[in-house]
Amino acid sequence: MIGQWRLRAAFAARLSRMYGREVPAYTTLVDVSREVNEDVLRARGADAERLGSIGRVTAERHGAIRVGTPEELRQVARVFGALGMRPVGFYDLRDTPASALPIVSTAFRPVDEEELARNPFRVFTSMLTVSDPRFFDADLRSRLTAFLAGRELFPPELLALADRAEAERELPDADAERFLELAVAAFELSAEPIDREWYAALERVSAVAADIGGVRSTHINHLTPRVLDIDELYRRMTVRGIEMIDTIQGPPRWPGPDVLLRQTSFRALAEPRALRTADGSVTLGALRVRFGEVEARGIALTREGRALYDRLLGLVDERAAHCPAGERGDVARAMWTEHLPPTEHELAVRGLGFFTYHAVPERPADGSRPPSGLGGLLAGGWLRAEPIVYEDFLPRSAAGIFRSNLSDTGSRNSGQEGSSYDADRLSEAMGREVLDPFTLYERQRDLSLARLPRALRPQGAS
């Protein structure tokens, strides 16, 4: 019998091999990521594994897919449910400045600490907001709805196996093999010709809308390895002649603790695709929709820490607006240095970062009583704080990656009122709850506090 985490690991590995065949530059990205990770490990030793073992970091991936309707999203949830992955977080990318992104998103991932340690595969999953009149007028919305209703992304056999794997949390060998075969095939790039006029009509609204609603299948939009030094990876990819996007999205590089998530990618490649013209003939064209993303993960921030991060982003935007374009990074580093704690210890004591807490059994007995505050317990060697890795995404960074890989900004009628979407509506669409990431991190932290001897629990801890 093959358990869910092994299904998840096998699916991630096969998806990576498939995507490498389809997008060879992705294989280069994986190879360079591995080289950078090995070099960082040699240079920094055990400290390099502070946010995850080198085995986990090297194997870690997140993918991104796009679907068109709530029904397709429900089916995706069933496939990922078979792999022990649940929807976490709600991301609304529709109000992204300077480009039209008519999508709302969630991320499917494991949620338990043990499952994350075994294999933390995630899939950032976006759904087209067909009902939003800012992007789709009545005629286009009607045509798009009919087109999406007439396609099948996932065969019934795959969905039946997925439901069984989710219910029983395992599959027999032969059924597991069949499930993996069908699941990987569902995300391959289809060779079926694309209606050129229909695709172009959607592309005038948004290249993302065309990629979702202009074809009769879905596919992996990008697959993302994790790297320990994303700045060095960016440099090495550029040296190899791979065209990268202009920036690294997320927090700046600075001397303090790595927090949240930094992401970058190589630019979307022109891939040959078969296009059907109005007279029915098929010609060979090219579309730019897929790219190779890479990420560096840091410490998860608490609600207070995230609010501070968002305020700092606003301040950086204000100050950088009056500086030359190339100086934004310097502005951000100065802002981080001014407002963020320079050490993990201070990040924990100020309640800005998530950590698990563990008693230090080897602390020398000196006859003193443990203090009541977290700062004293950490400084005195009574407790050890282990950072909790940020497992989720940043909507602004995700939009920035998407926007950097678009050749056209598309169109959006800002005079129209947008349709309402939130985590509850997405939960209803899927038939399963979208979980709040902060709640998951708080649970992980609080469980570690509950395991401490009562005398070592910080004042005010759960």
Side-chain angles (χ1 to χ4, degrees):
M1 301 297 290
I2 307 299
Q4 284 184 309
W5 82 264
R6 293 189 185 278
L7 279 175
R8 184 169 68 250
F11 176 73
R14 293 188 188 199
L15 206 63
S16 183
R17 290 195 294 271
M18 178 269 285
Y19 196 63
R21 290 192 299 270
E22 293 186 344
V23 184
Y26 164 75
T27 301
T28 302
L29 184 67
V30 171
D31 290 343
V32 176
S33 298
R34 186 181 299 109
E35 291 172 7
V36 170
N37 289 342
E38 290 171 353
D39 289 347
V40 171
L41 186 63
R42 278 193 293 268
R44 293 170 49 192
D47 184 58
E49 299 183 276
R50 183 83 175 135
L51 293 171
S53 70
I54 193 66
R56 168 180 166 167
V57 170
T58 300
E60 192 160 343
R61 298 285 188 277
H62 94 245
I65 65 166
R66 300 162 177 171
V67 297
T69 67
E71 175 58 29
E72 291 177 352
L73 188 62
R74 277 193 293 273
Q75 292 178 355
V76 163
R78 291 163 67 186
V79 173
F80 294 141
L83 305 175
M85 299 161 66
R86 301 177 65 184
V88 180
F90 172 77
Y91 308 91
D92 192 339
L93 306 188
R94 293 176 297 163
D95 292 323
T96 301
S99 61
L101 295 175
I103 50 176
V104 293
S105 311
T106 188
F108 290 90
R109 67 168 176 88
V111 297
D112 295 328
E113 187 176 357
E114 183 179 347
E115 287 296 300
L116 286 164
R118 284 173 163 173
N119 182 273
F121 183 60
R122 321 166 183 80
V123 181
F124 190 83
T125 303
S126 301
M127 183 185 73
L128 196 61
T129 53
V130 179
S131 63
D132 195 323
R134 292 177 298 174
F135 303 98
F136 307 105
D137 62 27
D139 176 63
L140 187 56
R141 184 162 59 248
S142 175
R143 293 167 61 198
L144 181 55
T145 299
F147 180 89
L148 294 172
R151 71 181 186 181
E152 179 185 270
L153 299 186
F154 307 102
E157 183 185 1
L158 170 61
L159 296 175
L161 286 169
D163 292 343
R164 182 179 170 192
E166 183 171 18
E168 300 177 9
R169 303 178 65 84
E170 60 185 5
L171 284 175
D173 285 357
D175 289 334
E177 178 60 33
R178 182 59 175 160
F179 169 82
L180 291 168
E181 177 186 322
L182 291 170
V184 172
F187 297 109
E188 290 179 346
L189 193 67
S190 172
E192 181 181 353
I194 297 167
D195 186 319
R196 187 169 66 181
E197 289 189 7
W198 172 236
Y199 193 95
L202 291 174
E203 200 170 27
R204 285 190 286 273
V205 173
S206 166
V208 171
D211 183 47
I212 300 172
V215 296
R216 301 199 65 82
S217 61
T218 189
H219 53 255
I220 283 289
N221 178 258
H222 62 258
L223 204 57
T224 304
R226 180 177 166 188
V227 72
L228 294 172
D229 187 340
I230 197 168
D231 299 273
E232 176 61 14
L233 177 131
Y234 189 99
R235 186 191 70 80
R236 292 190 192 187
M237 289 290 288
T238 303
V239 167
R240 291 192 180 208
I242 305 293
E243 186 183 6
M244 305 295 286
I245 64 172
D246 295 336
T247 60
I248 295 174
Q249 300 286 338
R253 184 186 185 99
W254 75 305
D258 294 326
V259 299
L260 297 175
L261 176 69
R262 302 182 72 208
Q263 298 171 282
T264 192
S265 81
F266 61 72
R267 291 198 180 278
L269 305 173
E271 298 180 271
R273 305 287 290 275
L275 304 176
R276 179 174 286 109
T277 60
D279 64 6
S281 62
V282 176
T283 63
L284 188 64
L287 298 177
R288 291 180 179 269
V289 296
R290 302 198 299 173
F291 49 91
E293 186 178 289
V294 65
E295 66 187 19
R297 291 192 171 269
I299 301 169
L301 295 183
T302 63
R303 297 176 195 270
E304 295 79 6
R306 182 58 186 273
L308 174 59
Y309 171 79
D310 290 338
R311 286 199 302 274
L312 291 181
L313 281 185
L315 290 173
V316 170
D317 288 343
E318 290 178 14
R319 295 191 185 180
H322 306 290
C323 299
E327 295 182 9
R328 180 183 174 86
D330 296 331
V331 171
R333 276 185 289 276
M335 194 69 65
W336 255 242
T337 301
E338 181 180 352
H339 294 282
L340 279 181
T343 66
E344 287 185 11
H345 175 95
E346 291 183 56
L347 201 64
V349 171
R350 287 178 54 183
L352 299 178
F354 280 114
F355 296 81
T356 57
Y357 297 96
H358 311 271
V360 180
E362 65 271 18
R363 183 185 187 276
D366 56 10
S368 62
R369 293 178 60 82
S372 61
L374 178 60
L377 289 165
L378 292 172
W382 298 90
L383 292 184
R384 172 173 49 86
E386 292 289 340
I388 297 176
V389 178
Y390 185 65
E391 305 287 355
D392 298 289
F393 298 91
L394 302 172
R396 174 169 168 154
S397 294
I401 293 283
F402 285 178
R403 185 172 61 248
S404 296
N405 281 288
L406 299 177
S407 57
D408 194 336
T409 58
S411 62
R412 173 173 47 203
N413 183 358
S414 299
Q416 292 276 2
E417 184 175 351
S419 52
S420 175
Y421 276 95
D422 57 17
D424 289 339
R425 182 171 177 185
L426 208 62
S427 298
E428 183 179 354
M430 281 187 292
R432 56 187 74 201
E433 182 185 6
V434 174
L435 303 177
D436 172 44
F438 287 111
T439 301
L440 297 176
Y441 297 126
E442 288 163 352
R443 183 180 69 184
Q444 189 175 345
R445 176 200 61 197
D446 293 347
L447 283 173
S448 77
L449 290 169
R451 297 188 189 107
L452 294 173
R454 187 168 297 276
L456 294 182
R457 292 181 193 173
Q459 188 174 25
S462 303

